[in-house]
Amino acid sequence: MTTVGIRGTFFDFVDDPWKHIGNEQAAARFHQDGLMVVTDGVIEAFGPYEKIAAAHPGVAITEIKDRIIVPGFIDGHIHLPQTRVLGAYGEQLLPWLQKWVYPEELKYRDRNYAREGVKRFLDALLASGTTTCQAFTSSSPVSTEELFEEAARRNMRVIAGLTGIDRNAPADFIDTPENFYRDSKRLIAEYHNKGRNLYAITPRFAFGASPELLKACQRLKHEHPDCWVNTHISENPAECSGVLVEHPDCQDYLGVYEKFDLVGPKFSGGHGVYLSNNEFRRMSKKGAAVVFCPCSNLFLGSGLFRLGRATDPEHRVKMSFGTDVGGGNRFSMIAVLDDAYKVGMCNNTLLDGSIDPTRKDLAEAERNKLSPYRGFWSITLGGAEGLYIDDKLGNFEPGKEADFVALDPNGGQIAQAWHQSLIADGAGPRTMDEAASMLFAVMMVGDDRCVDETWVMGKRLYKKS
């Protein structure tokens, strides 16, 4: 057994800040001088340095100075084989897929190409502070195999699965429901719950799935009820219209997945920009999650996700945040928070009564505001809850996996340090409020340059050079 100690300034969460409106600090935890003891990658003890150190004499300690240590970031929706096409100009979702994405994803049939792409993908995640992701692969099993193999070598936690599509894509890209079922069964047997790998049954989206493919997904879920289900939902107006043409017996997008018994715990629908109030309520009742992908929703012109509606306390929907690379144009979950804040502020204006008094809803308007507490909870413990992995990670509770990020609050733009000196006089944060204010500046003024170190299972895998 290997035991190490990490000393530094820690900030994490014990609850959902949206449950503590007006007192969001109650959801957080801050230790200006803290110690985390890690044994074989799992947190053994955590708390104030003096208390924890006294109970663990002789433990070798690594001190991380002048940084704020937060749990590793969780990306709930990202596409492995789109790494190379992020930032492709000028199209909305459906033509963008045809022009840029499908041709690139076809290259992942080649194992050497897929292997290189996976390494670049995981390198980019770690450099952004992301230690866990739920990822789409491609319609070829090779990319799924390579992702799980390389993630296992790095000991990263990954949720992924073969991406099923048999309609509305190039003929050489789609596959049959029979092949999808057969290949998924094999991949589940080889990789699910092996090390930190978890398997997601992955119909790409209802627009690209025949009833037969969705029946194959239903069969897989019934045979492997502990697997995840990962897909897209209500991202783009043209896509939403097309789904109802492809599935005319369904009343709405969510209804397609409900018809095949896929909606429930461990179900994630990416985007959800055009979910109706009724669909939000049904997702809430069934314990399903939506993944907010603001960078992609803005880049592809899809629309503004209703963050305040998803966080309605009467019908709260589980939620994680995602980059959606390559629709999202950055790997950074910090960038996701930047764009999520701006989307929320636009929705706040739409609901405050100043534009249309008939839509005035001050409570929902307020829930759209992404404070640093709400933001960093959403990409750590909240993201873990949305993916049903909060028993494994998301904060610094003993017994959880020791994935964390050391943030340099003075990184980012050249003006960042001067701004932060307004909060803490050029020093590190002394209180929880000061830490939260500095983290908000990381969200809004900083960028990936604020990520100084990324640790996975108590081992440093990335250090900014």
Side-chain angles (χ1 to χ4, degrees), residues 205-344:
F205 56 172
F207 182 65
S210 69
E212 291 73 25
L213 180 64
L214 291 168
K215 286 178 184 176
C217 294
Q218 180 182 29
R219 183 180 174 189
L220 289 166
K221 182 61 177 173
H222 287 175
E223 293 170 351
H224 304 279
D226 63 333
C227 281
W228 279 249
V229 176
N230 183 31
T231 190
H232 295 78
I233 191 167
S234 300
E235 178 179 358
N236 172 277
E239 171 218 12
C240 293
S241 299
V243 164
L244 297 184
V245 172
E246 295 290 343
H247 302 275
D249 57 332
C250 297
Q251 296 299 309
D252 54 33
Y253 207 134
L254 182 66
V256 178
Y257 299 128
E258 289 175 324
K259 177 181 176 181
F260 297 96
D261 197 26
L262 298 175
V263 182
K266 297 187 179 180
F267 171 94
S268 290
H271 301 281
V273 176
Y274 296 99
L275 288 170
S276 66
N277 291 352
N278 182 263
E279 286 173 294
F280 273 124
R281 286 193 291 270
R282 282 149 50 202
M283 291 184 76
S284 173
K285 185 176 181 180
K286 293 182 178 181
V290 65
V291 188
F292 181 21
C293 303
C295 300
S296 173
N297 296 341
L298 294 173
F299 182 77
L300 295 177
S302 298
L304 304 178
F305 175 74
R306 296 190 296 159
L307 182 60
R309 175 55 52 183
T311 52
D312 179 356
E314 294 185 11
H315 305 285
R316 181 63 186 272
V317 178
K318 286 187 175 292
M319 179 172 56
S320 58
F321 285 21
T323 60
D324 192 36
V325 163
N329 55 318
R330 288 170 286 183
F331 271 86
S332 171
M333 295 304 295
I334 295 173
V336 168
L337 295 183
D338 178 5
D339 280 351
Y341 175 84
K342 295 166 185 174
V343 168

Side-chain angles (χ1 to χ4, degrees), residues 63-139:
E63 185 171 5
I64 301 177
K65 297 181 178 180
D66 304 319
R67 302 291 182 260
I68 301 175
I69 302 171
V70 298
F73 301 150
I74 298 169
D75 189 333
H77 186 106
I78 189 168
H79 293 258
L80 154 67
Q82 295 177 19
T83 300
R84 203 173 184 182
V85 297
L86 77 169
Y89 169 75
E91 305 288 350
Q92 291 198 3
L93 175 64
L94 297 183
W96 175 80
L97 290 171
Q98 297 286 343
K99 180 177 180 180
W100 292 104
V101 171
Y102 296 146
E104 175 64 18
E105 291 195 9
L106 274 171
K107 299 174 186 176
Y108 280 73
R109 290 181 174 179
D110 178 83
R111 190 169 296 278
N112 290 330
Y113 192 91
R115 186 168 295 157
E116 179 184 2
V118 165
K119 290 178 179 178
R120 291 177 180 272
F121 172 77
L122 294 178
D123 285 347
L125 288 178
L126 290 169
S128 301
T130 298
T131 55
T132 295
C133 71
Q134 179 175 240
F136 291 79
T137 59
S138 74
S139 56

